[in-house]
Amino acid sequence: MLSEIRSGLFQRDARPGQAATHAPIDLLLFWSVVLLISIGFVMVYSASIATSEAEKMTGYRATYFMTRHGIYLLVGITAAIVVFQIPMTLWQRTAPFLFMTGGLLLVLVLIPGIGKQVNGSWRWINLGFMTMQPSELMKLFTVVYAADYTVRKAAFMDDFKKGFLPMFSVMVFMAALLLRQPDFGALVVVTSIAMGILFLGGLNWRVFAALIVLLAVAFVVLIISSPYRLQRILGFMDPWADPFGKGYQLSHSLIAFGRGEWLGVGLGASVEKLFYLPEAHTDFLLAVIAEELGFVGITVVIALFVTFIYRTFMVGREAMIRERYFAALVAQGIGVWLSVQAFINMGVNMGLLPTKGLTLPFLSFGGTGVLMNCVAVAVLLRIDFENRATSASARKGVLKV
């Protein structure tokens, strides 16, 4: 199986000396994240001013959401600095325990008195000073567990019963817990993470193809069986048929994109954020960016995401070259996670996908989501740091000889 990993995405020009070693970390990856976070901070403030000034819970302060977002970023950056010190060997040893902890949190969030219900969904646990969303933690825990599982079961990846079925059984249980919240968006992301890592880890392509078909059928059944999800699909297909009902969010998002044209109406000048576009500073932040910064602004954001995802997979590639298989799969798993979530959010905002409650990584307002995005980047930088340290050690050994 491990030979299959090598012969996949990483085969071309796979020479250990290719990694840049002048800097301790990948600066292109680092600065793309810094720019995304910076743009997000400014745009969260711009998108939330009207809402902040109008709500009693905010004290009618225009800077309420910006201040909270800034605090979440500081907490996330602090956590990232701590996580960066953790070696990947420790992540691998604790992977099963982290995954079980995530499962326990998904159970606890469904218990009244522990879990917090908002708009009919049980997705948060109130910690007093902030609310925690277990499904966001589960995304990272799924990455490390799926990577560890794939490495441990390397010899059985072609065996349906020994290689695939145990992981599938665990993921079905987690999927059931996510649907109980319900959090269909998180389910799609977590499923994509697990499938992506298993595929990159050498899962039999016939099993993978059959599973894709099975998942597609399962998602269709889930949508048809739920009037709420079905209404979202119908609203997505033709938002203008009911612009004041099921197509309300999408129609106003598309209006924002249309108003932005090439250069936008100017920072802070959005009209749609003035109580027309729901969740302007969270799920539909990209629409506000489109309206205020135009096509150019959207292009910059997408280019930064493409750069980040590309460097993420290159970090995984370098780890694979050095036969650090767990670290390689973790890096690629994080790339799958953040690229899928960003793609879904952008697709929803642009009317290419049905409306789903997923935020835009690094940019949207949030608590647990912002924290886990920062932690994920810290894990990536740690993998890159260890790659470069391994390369430096190898060069020293050659020089001594």
Side-chain angles (χ1 to χ4, degrees), residues 20-38:
T21 55
H22 298 295
I25 57 173
D26 190 317
L27 294 179
L28 193 56
L29 186 154
F30 175 78
W31 285 111
S32 62
V33 171
V34 169
L35 288 173
L36 283 170
I37 289 175
S38 301

Side-chain angles (χ1 to χ4, degrees), residues 305-318:
F305 268 111
V306 170
T307 301
F308 169 74
I309 298 302
Y310 171 75
R311 292 312 308 165
T312 294
F313 277 89
M314 289 303 99
V315 167
R317 176 178 179 274
E318 292 295 338

Side-chain angles (χ1 to χ4, degrees), residues 8 49 51 128 148 162 175 182 226 237 283 294-295 312-313 363 365 370:
I49 291 176
T51 304
D148 174 61
K162 294 182 179 180
S226 170
M237 294 176 65
D283 299 353
F295 177 79
T312 294
F313 277 89
L363 282 91
F365 172 84
V370 170

Side-chain angles (χ1 to χ4, degrees), residues 53-194:
E53 289 180 333
E55 291 188 7
K56 184 178 180 180
M57 63 164 284
T58 67
Y60 307 107
R61 291 182 289 113
T63 59
Y64 177 80
F65 287 107
M66 181 196 72
T67 303
R68 291 191 66 186
H69 190 63
I71 293 172
Y72 294 146
L73 284 174
L74 287 175
V75 172
I77 292 169
T78 302
I81 293 172
V82 174
V83 168
F84 181 76
Q85 313 303 319
I86 301 175
M88 293 309 298
T89 52
L90 182 58
W91 281 101
Q92 186 169 10
R93 287 200 300 270
T94 58
F97 304 103
L98 291 174
F99 192 72
M100 287 188 288
T101 300
L104 178 61
L105 290 173
L106 290 179
V107 172
L108 291 176
V109 79
L110 299 174
I111 301 176
I114 298 177
K116 180 182 179 182
Q117 186 183 35
V118 178
N119 297 327
S121 298
W122 295 85
R123 301 181 187 177
W124 298 269
I125 295 176
N126 194 345
L127 301 178
F129 60 94
M130 67 173 290
T131 55
M132 178 182 67
Q133 192 170 355
S135 60
E136 292 293 338
L137 277 69
M138 200 62 208
K139 294 170 185 176
L140 179 61
F141 295 166
T142 299
V143 168
V144 296
Y145 177 73
D148 174 61
Y149 176 88
T150 302
V151 172
R152 284 190 289 108
K153 297 284 186 176
F156 304 106
M157 279 293 107
D158 281 332
D159 190 314
F160 178 80
K161 290 183 178 180
K162 294 182 179 180
F164 170 73
L165 198 57
M167 182 68 176
F168 180 74
S169 302
V170 171
M171 293 310 300
V172 167
F173 176 69
M174 292 301 169
L177 293 177
L178 288 169
L179 287 174
R180 285 289 297 168
Q181 294 186 10
D183 195 343
F184 191 69
L187 172 61
V188 172
V189 174
V190 168
T191 302
S192 299
I193 292 169

Side-chain angles (χ1 to χ4, degrees), residues 274-326:
L274 304 178
F275 310 108
Y276 293 104
L277 181 62
E279 309 297 338
H281 59 297
T282 55
D283 299 353
F284 283 88
L285 184 66
L286 190 72
V288 178
I289 295 175
E291 186 178 4
E292 296 190 351
L293 304 182
F295 177 79
V296 172
I298 292 295
T299 301
V300 169
V301 169
I302 293 175
L304 288 171
F305 268 111
V306 170
T307 301
F308 169 74
I309 298 302
Y310 171 75
R311 292 312 308 165
T312 294
F313 277 89
M314 289 303 99
V315 167
R317 176 178 179 274
E318 292 295 338
M320 188 63 65
I321 291 170
R322 287 158 180 76
E323 299 185 354
R324 303 178 60 239
Y325 303 118
F326 171 75

